[in-house]
Amino acid sequence: MASWGERLAGVRGVLLDISGVLYDGSEDGGVPIPGSVEAVARLKRSQLKVRFCTNDSQKSRGDLVGLLRRHGFDISESEVTAPAPAASLILKKRGLRPHLLVHDGVRSEFDQIDTSNPNCVVIADAGESFSYQNMNKAFRVLMELESPVLISLGKGRYYKETSGLMLDVGAYMKALEYACGIEAEVVGKPSPEYFQSALKEMGVEAHEAIMIGDDIVGDVGGAQRCGMRALQVRTGKFRPSDERHPDVKADGYVDNLAEAVDLLLQHADN
Amino acid sequence: MASWGERLAGVRGVLLDISGVLYDGSEDGGVPIPGSVEAVARLKRSQLKVRFCTNDSQKSRGDLVGLLRRHGFDISESEVTAPAPAASLILKKRGLRPHLLVHDGVRSEFDQIDTSNPNCVVIADAGESFSYQNMNKAFRVLMELESPVLISLGKGRYYKETSGLMLDVGAYMKALEYACGIEAEVVGKPSPEYFQSALKEMGVEAHEAIMIGDDIVGDVGGAQRCGMRALQVRTGKFRPSDERHPDVKADGYVDNLAEAVDLLLQHADN
């Protein structure tokens, strides 16, 4: 494998995944991953541009940033690309009136959206709200539409909380896709449009950017397909088998965000 | 299309789907489909062999038969092929200890099965028991196994109750398959082994048998792939678009079971 110097040459911007990279979530707020608070601070003191690119769809962007700030992270709302505000823009642009199957914590992101007489379904990581009754309701809304539109905020398989692995929205997206015989539109990683919007907001071209995440497919594979480089951290939902993934090879594997930032500050353009 | 006489020539045995053909279910027991009670009685008075082949996995075979008898159907437990008893045999034969994600109503079918220290997951149409917490538990059991085994009692997309369409086990099977990166083993229609076990119990060869069901894929397509003929009834979950299905064409479409039995008694070998 090429040296770190070669692999990181020309990097001007860094996209950071949040859950599993900055902190591990839990019902009571979670815990920062050791070294990550300092790593973010060091990165932001460098010449590198930084943006946070999350698939978290349980919390509003404001609540997520508030939580991270309480953990000590230097982060503000304007630095975060999150799927719910992105979906909200799409709904407005296309005149879609969603039936929302989402966590109560993220509902405020859709305050400005007309949800009467729905003509599409939006699902997010709804957690406990993924009851049979709520899923059946979303299913029935879709089956009554002539051209059913299902928008899924991410398509992750699972994520890690301090209590263990948790089923993510992707599993429920697949359930509705199969039941209705349709394909969902994904707003979130690994959708290319989503990565591109984050790059645009950061003001960096894909070939000058690197993604750091714990998801070999959603973060690493998705970013690489957009022409970015990508590192996988061995925290969060990382599993040793990820390093032998049949389809995706990261540009590097690091123990945690702190190690990634050490390497970036040493070798990238800063 | 060939005449009914040609299409039904040589039929000696009839497999009947239950839900959507005999009756439409509901929380309080459902209602028989008009004409079906008499149709079953006429069929059983003929020379044709009859067997019931269901994917119902919410109720034990005893409870299902009891319910149908209360509706007036001439049916006994020994005439019914159902996925839970079939799965129970498979678990015993392979020494599998399941984590059960099933409706309480069907749990008694697994009374003789060791469920300690599970080495597989069995899911059935669990209805309200498909909570996030129960799905996550099943997911975690699978993720902890070196070679995860997921057995799904059927893979239906949805079924019809008197209140409307209901998500079936297939949707939740797809969710777990996706989250764990595995493929489930299906016990129930349209698995060929399942149809073949029903044919064997009826004592009729596939080419002498006809399936009558409301599911164009699970009943009609599945039976045809086993070398049987198949009729779709326009009751239960039937939708007009089924008659233009891109992949499956029934050997005939009939308004209901009563019409199917009229045709069989007129044209089949009896």
Side-chain angles (χ1 to χ4, degrees):
Chain A
M1 199 178 231
S3 72
W4 280 110
E6 290 172 89
R7 282 184 270 165
L8 300 178
V11 166
R12 288 183 50 235
V14 184
L15 283 185
L16 295 179
D17 180 28
I18 293 180
S19 172
V21 175
L22 267 51
Y23 83 128
D24 281 323
S26 77
E27 274 187 15
D28 53 358
V31 291
I33 290 167
S36 286
V37 170
E38 300 74 17
V40 169
R42 284 192 293 148
L43 207 49
K44 291 186 81 171
R45 283 198 303 270
S46 78
Q47 299 297 311
L48 291 165
K49 296 199 178 185
V50 181
R51 189 162 181 89
F52 302 90
C53 185
T54 181
N55 264 13
D56 189 315
S57 63
Q58 274 213 353
K59 292 179 271 299
S60 71
R61 185 156 51 173
D63 287 349
L64 177 62
V65 164
L67 172 70
L68 291 167
R69 291 182 67 86
R70 284 193 296 282
H71 283 311
F73 287 101
D74 174 5
I75 184 171
S76 64
E77 272 195 63
S78 62
E79 295 170 315
V80 176
T81 300
S88 184
L89 284 176
I90 291 169
L91 294 168
K92 262 187 213 156
K93 205 183 289 176
R94 288 166 53 185
L96 290 169
R97 301 179 306 276
H99 169 79
L100 296 171
L101 175 43
V102 303
H103 198 282
D104 283 340
V106 82
R107 215 167 273 274
S108 62
E109 297 281 14
F110 300 94
D111 274 353
Q112 306 305 315
I113 303 289
D114 178 9
T115 56
S116 64
N117 187 22
N119 58 7
C120 77
V121 167
V122 169
I123 60 168
D125 174 18
E128 299 286 345
S129 296
F130 277 132
S131 65
Y132 180 74
Q133 211 170 359
N134 286 348
M135 279 289 283
N136 209 49
K137 172 69 187 159
F139 162 67
R140 287 182 177 185
V141 169
L142 287 168
M143 290 297 274
E144 276 159 24
L145 296 173
E146 203 169 327
S147 305
V149 173
L150 172 61
I151 294 177
S152 182
L153 302 199
K155 61 170 191 177
R157 294 161 57 200
Y158 55 85
Y159 55 94
K160 199 188 163 203
E161 290 213 333
T162 52
S163 68
L165 299 182
M166 306 291 284
L167 274 176
D168 200 356
V169 62
Y172 288 90
M173 175 193 88
K174 287 287 171 187
L176 290 174
E177 284 187 338
Y178 175 73
C180 304
I182 60 173
E183 203 169 321
E185 301 175 27
V186 176
V187 177
K189 300 175 285 185
S191 145
E193 294 79 8
Y194 191 73
F195 279 116
Q196 277 145 14
S197 72
L199 286 172
K200 199 175 162 192
E201 287 156 329
M202 185 163 61
V204 165
E205 300 285 324
H207 72 274
E208 304 169 315
I210 195 161
M211 172 81 211
I212 301 175
D214 66 336
D215 185 324
I216 186 70
V217 173
D219 293 325
V220 175
Q224 288 176 335
R225 269 203 311 284
C226 289
M228 299 168 62
R229 282 164 271 185
L231 304 181
Q232 190 181 16
V233 288
R234 298 191 186 96
T235 54
K237 72 177 131 186
F238 167 84
R239 302 183 130 215
S241 60
D242 291 349
E243 296 193 34
R244 307 180 300 274
H245 194 280
D247 304 321
V248 183
K249 186 156 189 55
D251 294 279
Y253 301 88
V254 291
D255 283 344
N256 46 42
L257 180 61
E259 188 187 352
V261 170
D262 283 345
L263 290 164
L264 280 166
L265 296 187
Q266 206 176 334
H267 298 291
D269 287 5
N270 66 91
Chain B
M1 199 178 233
S3 71
W4 281 110
E6 290 171 90
R7 281 183 270 166
L8 301 178
V11 166
R12 289 183 50 234
V14 184
L15 283 185
L16 295 180
D17 180 28
I18 292 179
S19 171
V21 176
L22 268 51
Y23 84 126
D24 281 322
S26 77
E27 273 189 14
D28 53 359
V31 291
I33 289 167
S36 286
V37 169
E38 299 74 19
V40 169
R42 284 193 291 150
L43 207 50
K44 292 185 81 171
R45 282 198 302 270
S46 76
Q47 299 297 311
L48 291 165
K49 296 199 178 186
V50 181
R51 190 163 181 88
F52 302 90
C53 184
T54 181
N55 264 14
D56 188 314
S57 63
Q58 273 214 355
K59 292 179 271 300
S60 71
R61 186 156 49 172
D63 287 348
L64 177 61
V65 165
L67 172 70
L68 291 167
R69 291 182 67 87
R70 284 194 296 282
H71 283 311
F73 287 100
D74 175 5
I75 185 171
S76 64
E77 272 194 63
S78 61
E79 295 171 315
V80 176
T81 300
S88 183
L89 285 174
I90 290 168
L91 295 168
K92 262 186 210 154
K93 205 182 288 176
R94 288 165 54 184
L96 289 169
R97 300 180 307 275
H99 170 77
L100 296 171
L101 174 43
V102 303
H103 198 280
D104 282 341
V106 80
R107 215 166 272 276
S108 62
E109 297 281 13
F110 300 95
D111 274 353
Q112 306 304 314
I113 304 289
D114 178 8
T115 55
S116 65
N117 187 22
N119 57 7
C120 78
V121 167
V122 169
I123 61 168
D125 173 19
E128 298 286 345
S129 296
F130 278 132
S131 64
Y132 181 75
Q133 209 170 1
N134 287 347
M135 279 290 285
N136 209 48
K137 173 68 187 161
F139 162 68
R140 287 183 178 184
V141 169
L142 287 167
M143 290 297 274
E144 275 160 24
L145 296 173
E146 203 170 322
S147 306
V149 173
L150 171 62
I151 293 177
S152 182
L153 302 200
K155 61 170 188 176
R157 294 162 55 200
Y158 55 85
Y159 56 94
K160 197 188 161 201
E161 290 212 335
T162 52
S163 68
L165 298 182
M166 307 290 285
L167 275 176
D168 200 355
V169 61
Y172 289 89
M173 175 192 88
K174 287 289 170 186
L176 290 174
E177 283 187 341
Y178 176 73
C180 303
I182 59 173
E183 202 170 322
E185 301 175 27
V186 176
V187 177
K189 301 175 285 187
S191 144
E193 294 80 8
Y194 191 72
F195 279 115
Q196 277 146 13
S197 72
L199 286 172
K200 199 175 162 191
E201 287 156 329
M202 185 163 61
V204 165
E205 300 285 326
H207 71 275
E208 305 168 316
I210 195 160
M211 173 81 211
I212 301 175
D214 65 335
D215 185 324
I216 186 70
V217 173
D219 292 326
V220 175
Q224 288 177 334
R225 267 203 311 284
C226 289
M228 299 167 63
R229 282 165 271 184
L231 304 181
Q232 189 181 16
V233 289
R234 298 192 186 97
T235 54
K237 74 177 131 187
F238 167 84
R239 302 183 132 215
S241 60
D242 291 349
E243 297 193 34
R244 308 180 297 274
H245 194 280
D247 304 321
V248 184
K249 184 155 192 55
D251 294 279
Y253 302 88
V254 290
D255 283 343
N256 48 41
L257 180 61
E259 188 188 353
V261 170
D262 283 346
L263 290 164
L264 280 165
L265 296 187
Q266 205 176 331
H267 298 290
D269 287 5
N270 65 91

